[in-house]
C-alpha cells in the first residue's frame, strides 16, 4: 500500500497530447454547410483513441487540437443550441 496504482488511460488529461498522428494520416471531414464560406472552416477527424482532432482548413499544415469525445460533443451541442451566436460577426 502507499503506492499509486492509478494506470494512465487515453482519457488522462494530465497527458496534453494523448495521440499525435500526422495530419495526412487522418480522415478529415468538414461540414457540407461550409461550402462557399471562403475557406473559413474547421475540419475534424476521429483519432484511434476516440479523441477528436480539430484543425483550421486554411492551414492544414499547422498542428491540430485534440479533444475528448465528451468535450467535443459538449461543444457541438452548445453550437446547435446557439450558445456561441454572440461570437458570430455578420459581414
Amino acid at each position: 500500500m502507499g503506492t499509486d496504482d492509478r494506470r494512465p488511460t487515453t482519457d488522462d488529461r494530465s497527458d496534453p497530447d494523448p495521440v499525435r498522428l500526422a495530419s495526412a494520416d487522418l480522415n478529415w471531414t468538414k461540414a457540407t454547410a461550409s461550402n462557399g464560406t471562403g475557406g473559413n472552416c474547421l475540419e475534424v477527424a476521429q483519432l484511434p483513441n476516440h479523441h477528436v482532432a480539430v484543425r483550421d482548413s486554411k492551414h492544414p499544415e499547422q498542428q491540430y487540437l485534440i479533444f475528448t469525445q465528451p468535450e467535443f460533443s459538449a461543444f457541438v451541442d452548445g453550437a446547435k443550441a446557439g450558445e456561441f451566436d454572440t461570437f458570430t460577426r455578420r459581414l
Side-chain angles (χ1 to χ4, degrees), residues 52-73:
V52 178
V54 179
R55 72 178 182 184
D56 181 348
S57 66
K58 294 183 304 295
H59 303 285
E61 73 286 351
Q62 293 181 358
Q63 288 190 340
Y64 52 82
L65 301 174
I66 297 174
F67 298 94
T68 65
Q69 191 65 52
E71 289 170 334
F72 187 72
S73 294

Side-chain angles (χ1 to χ4, degrees), residues 4-60:
D4 185 2
D5 291 332
R6 188 173 142 236
R7 304 279 189 264
T9 67
T10 56
D11 287 329
D12 188 356
R13 299 308 287 174
S14 65
D15 180 3
D17 191 10
V19 170
R20 183 63 66 177
L21 300 172
S23 285
D25 294 333
L26 298 173
N27 184 23
W28 293 98
T29 304
K30 94 175 126 174
T32 55
S34 66
N35 291 336
T37 61
N40 297 320
C41 309
L42 291 178
E43 295 177 316
V44 298
Q46 185 74 49
L47 296 173
N49 63 357
H50 305 291
H51 284 64
V52 178
V54 179
R55 72 178 182 184
D56 181 348
S57 66
K58 294 183 304 295
H59 303 285

